[in-house]
Amino acid sequence: MTRWGEQTLVADRPTRRAGRGRADPVTLGLPDGTELGIRSAVGDDLPGVVDLHERCSARSRNRRYHGGSARLAPARMRRLLEPARGVTLLATPTASPSPVAPVVAMANLLGEGDTAEAALLVRDDWQRRGLGSALLRRLVGQAEQRGYAALDLHIQAENTPMLRAVRRLGRPSAVDRDGSLLTLTVPLIAAVSPIRAALDLSVATR
Ligand SMILES: CC(C)(COP(=O)(O)OP(=O)(O)OC[C@H]1O[C@@H](n2cnc3c(N)ncnc32)[C@H](O)[C@@H]1OP(=O)(O)O)[C@@H](O)C(=O)NCCC(=O)NCCS
């Protein structure tokens, strides 16, 4: 067992304040010393996110989308990048030989009512380095900031890495099983109601 889940971040430094409906960009340090930028996705990230999906194995895409390993239609991908409620975070290595840093992971938070749904996709060659656990913790933080009462995760029962990442949160979660699909519900400590959070954001950015 690794110690990643206990403290994946050696650094998690805000780099600037985020705009409305976005998360503050931060620099994340993995236990092996690699640094990544974590920021909210924008529409222009579509090619990078398409590339992320292309470079993932069929198994990873299947575990993320539960519906075969087919590629997502660009329109659906665009909606994922800038959700009406919630946030999408992207991870890019800070040191990259290519002029445009590749997107190596995506974390989605989609809000509905007083609950948010979370999902992750880490590129296969970046898995098992603590990135998934770190992103999940950031999604929990984002959901709490936005005032959601609980976080739902739909996870295939055989998906050990994701189940371990959730367990590493150290929060009790309720589990509901529908065949091979588990829904884990993690209660959150919402600071404010989602309506209040939305109002605060809109006032702050006027
Ligand atoms: C699930 C996923 C996000 C985890 O990302 P990751 O960067 O590999 O996660 P971490 O490195 O933080 O590892 C999380 C835990 O899983 C374990 N783990 C990672 N890869 C593993 C593997 N191939 N086999 C067994 N355990 C594994 C780690 O050891 C760690 O557990 P520990 O802290 O108890 O040791 C990533 O594997 C992924 O994108 N999978 C495909 C999409 C998916 O399954 N999404 C989830 C749908 S909600």
Side-chain angles (χ1 to χ4, degrees):
M1 182 181 287
T2 70
R3 315 252 328 150
W4 293 332
E6 284 163 24
Q7 189 46 277
T8 299
L9 314 186
V10 293
D12 187 358
R13 306 187 298 273
T15 46
R16 64 186 156 84
R17 298 296 299 173
R20 182 180 178 179
R22 301 199 185 285
D24 288 341
V26 295
T27 300
L28 182 86
L30 297 184
D32 63 10
T34 307
E35 288 203 332
L36 297 114
I38 309 293
R39 60 174 175 81
S40 305
V42 294
D44 287 351
D45 286 310
L46 186 62
V49 172
V50 169
D51 180 68
L52 163 71
H53 285 73
E54 292 292 327
R55 288 168 190 263
C56 279
S57 63
R59 184 173 78 159
S60 285
R61 289 195 301 267
N62 180 279
R63 281 177 161 177
R64 166 61 183 84
Y65 297 104
H66 317 296
S69 56
R71 272 78 172 163
L72 289 194
R76 185 169 168 209
M77 205 129 16
R78 252 185 229 106
R79 281 198 298 277
L80 265 186
L81 288 182
E82 295 183 300
R85 293 190 62 212
V87 67
T88 289
L89 303 178
L90 300 181
T92 55
T94 52
S96 167
S98 41
V100 179
V103 176
V104 299
M106 176 174 79
N108 305 104
L109 185 77
L110 295 172
E112 194 170 316
D114 64 354
T115 300
E117 194 179 307
L120 300 178
L121 181 65
V122 176
R123 213 171 80 179
D124 289 59
D125 54 342
W126 280 79
Q127 291 177 9
R128 220 166 186 172
R129 296 170 68 177
L131 181 53
S133 298
L135 287 171
L136 182 57
R137 275 200 300 277
R138 289 205 68 75
L139 285 189
V140 168
Q142 286 296 317
E144 287 183 336
Q145 274 177 32
R146 287 169 162 75
Y148 292 106
L151 193 68
D152 279 345
L153 297 113
H154 304 294
I155 305 171
Q156 289 166 17
E158 54 72 42
N159 191 348
T160 305
M162 193 61 204
L163 293 171
R164 286 173 73 146
V166 177
R167 197 180 62 195
R168 281 283 173 175
L169 286 173
R171 297 189 182 217
S173 50
V175 183
D176 188 49
R177 185 170 190 138
D178 181 5
S180 61
L181 192 67
L182 307 177
T183 298
L184 273 63
T185 301
V186 181
L188 301 174
I189 307 151
V192 288
S193 77
I195 294 167
R196 180 64 211 228
L199 282 173
D200 286 350
L201 272 172
S202 107
V203 168
T205 52
R206 259 182 218 154

